[in-house]
Amino acid sequence: MELFEAIRTRRSYRGMYLPTPVPREDLQKIMEAALAAPSGCNKQTTSLIAVDDPELVKQLGGMLAPHFASAPAALCILTEKKIAYRDRTFYIHDYSAAIENALLAIQALGYESCWVEGYVTDENRIGYRMAELLGVPENLELVCYLPIGKPAEEGSRVRKLPFEERAWFNGYRK
Amino acid sequence: MELFEAIRTRRSYRGMYLPTPVPREDLQKIMEAALAAPSGCNKQTTSLIAVDDPELVKQLGGMLAPHFASAPAALCILTEKKIAYRDRTFYIHDYSAAIENALLAIQALGYESCWVEGYVTDENRIGYRMAELLGVPENLELVCYLPIGKPAEEGSRVRKLPFEERAWFNGYRK
């Protein structure tokens, strides 16, 4: 799929998924896309676990919501809070760029997804329980869950502010 | 350009730029791509100022380094540190996803760029001085500068860890 089409058509899908499996080859492409994102001082703080084991993905998605649990596959985003230089760390930047690449790849391959992070990292610590289940060591934090699959519903699209409310040339509001 | 090609070929370019101007139409496409990125709870915390005024872009880039100052255009990323829900804020996630979209768009249109953030937000407060010059109000912070232009040098590419060091299936290091 052409880049600008992928960017334009990507959306956050919050409906049920069809049970159609996601081939490993597609998961691999999605992961490669995520890992190709830049990282602050090239620290490569982001790592990934794709889940396509039917029981495991049901168990993980079920910690969130029934519609997420219906997805036949998912991508778990892990981060290591490394210092890039002095006291600066860019791990949120790093994994956010990686997630955006993954979401575009998911879109281009004909699947739907949703950036699920708030629920995962809130004080109920769902991400921590997911990480335990996946054998993730303590130096890594599971910060985001991306369900992956074909949509069973139409879904919707959020409204965004018009261009001129958010973008200008050569000066603020110019 | 096809999505996966844009993702694979994007890199951080730190060489000099050719003076060839970047048409407004291309800057508009880059900005639209950035604004199409998702944001936590759709708060749309990111806004943008593209710079193509020759004097202004030289002045802004000159605050950073001669090679950045040689770029005929640039995109300044602004953020508003809004609360998304409860005490959670996702402004870094929001602008990082927007930047990644912008970088892919820049790549697809045949230009080079580099995610310049550390220099901009370090204690010398270059971003603050840039924001003043652009008339940006105090509720917004200028956090990133993306030079945009055709490369005058070959440039290089960072090395990344192999896939199997960063990505697994159904469990950590599986």
Side-chain angles (χ1 to χ4, degrees):
Chain A
M1 188 185 284
E2 198 268 334
L3 168 74
F4 291 97
E5 189 189 342
I7 287 176
R8 201 181 57 245
T9 55
R10 183 215 55 79
R11 59 171 185 172
S12 301
Y13 176 76
R14 293 187 177 83
M16 295 293 285
Y17 288 86
L18 296 175
T20 326
V22 179
R24 270 285 164 101
E25 192 193 333
D26 285 353
L27 292 176
Q28 176 98 15
K29 277 186 193 168
I30 294 162
M31 292 162 104
E32 283 170 358
L35 297 179
S39 65
C41 302
N42 196 31
K43 291 292 178 188
Q44 300 173 71
T45 55
T46 310
S47 50
L48 309 168
I49 298 177
V51 183
D52 60 0
D53 177 273
E55 283 311 306
L56 190 56
V57 75
K58 209 171 287 180
Q59 208 175 342
L60 293 169
M63 293 182 190
L64 297 166
H67 56 285
F68 294 136
S70 69
L75 186 61
C76 298
I77 314 295
L78 312 175
T79 186
E80 188 175 354
K81 298 179 178 178
K82 275 188 201 164
I83 296 291
Y85 69 93
R86 285 188 240 141
D87 64 338
R88 302 294 305 270
T89 168
F90 296 106
Y91 69 94
I92 299 176
H93 308 71
D94 299 348
Y95 76 70
S96 299
I99 289 169
E100 181 60 8
N101 273 10
L103 291 174
L104 294 175
I106 289 167
Q107 177 67 27
L109 295 169
Y111 304 106
E112 297 276 359
S113 187
C114 184
W115 185 326
V116 187
E117 176 159 346
Y119 293 127
V120 168
T121 55
D122 274 346
E123 67 281 287
N124 50 17
R125 302 188 61 173
I126 290 173
Y128 186 81
R129 288 194 280 134
M130 288 178 161
E132 273 194 318
L133 205 60
L134 295 166
V136 174
E138 295 219 336
N139 60 319
L140 301 180
E141 189 184 345
L142 194 158
V143 286
C144 178
Y145 187 84
L146 304 180
I148 305 171
K150 300 278 182 189
E153 300 175 50
E154 208 175 305
S156 61
R157 193 171 277 280
V158 295
R159 280 194 193 197
K160 298 212 181 199
L161 291 168
F163 183 85
E164 57 274 15
E165 291 290 311
R166 297 178 68 194
W168 313 283
F169 290 92
N170 296 311
Y172 180 69
R173 293 208 172 269
K174 281 189 182 171
Chain B
M1 188 184 284
E2 198 269 333
L3 169 75
F4 291 97
E5 189 190 341
I7 287 177
R8 200 180 58 247
T9 55
R10 183 213 55 78
R11 60 173 183 169
S12 300
Y13 177 75
R14 292 186 176 82
M16 296 291 285
Y17 288 86
L18 295 176
T20 325
V22 179
R24 270 286 164 101
E25 192 193 332
D26 286 353
L27 291 175
Q28 177 99 15
K29 277 186 192 166
I30 293 162
M31 293 162 103
E32 283 170 358
L35 297 178
S39 65
C41 303
N42 195 32
K43 290 292 178 189
Q44 303 173 68
T45 57
T46 310
S47 50
L48 309 168
I49 299 177
V51 183
D52 60 0
D53 176 273
E55 283 311 307
L56 190 57
V57 75
K58 209 171 283 177
Q59 206 175 343
L60 292 169
M63 293 182 189
L64 297 166
H67 56 285
F68 293 137
S70 69
L75 186 61
C76 297
I77 314 295
L78 313 175
T79 185
E80 187 175 355
K81 298 181 177 176
K82 275 187 200 163
I83 296 290
Y85 68 93
R86 283 188 240 141
D87 64 337
R88 302 295 305 270
T89 168
F90 296 106
Y91 69 94
I92 300 177
H93 309 72
D94 298 349
Y95 75 70
S96 299
I99 290 169
E100 181 61 7
N101 274 10
L103 291 173
L104 295 175
I106 289 167
Q107 177 67 27
L109 295 169
Y111 304 106
E112 297 276 358
S113 187
C114 183
W115 185 326
V116 187
E117 176 159 346
Y119 294 127
V120 168
T121 55
D122 274 347
E123 66 281 288
N124 49 17
R125 303 188 59 171
I126 291 173
Y128 186 81
R129 288 195 282 133
M130 287 177 160
E132 272 193 317
L133 206 59
L134 296 166
V136 174
E138 295 218 334
N139 60 318
L140 301 179
E141 190 184 345
L142 194 159
V143 286
C144 177
Y145 188 85
L146 304 180
I148 305 171
K150 300 277 182 191
E153 301 176 48
E154 209 174 305
S156 61
R157 194 170 276 282
V158 296
R159 281 195 193 195
K160 298 212 181 198
L161 291 168
F163 183 85
E164 56 275 16
E165 292 289 313
R166 296 178 69 193
W168 313 283
F169 290 91
N170 295 312
Y172 181 70
R173 294 210 170 268
K174 281 191 183 168

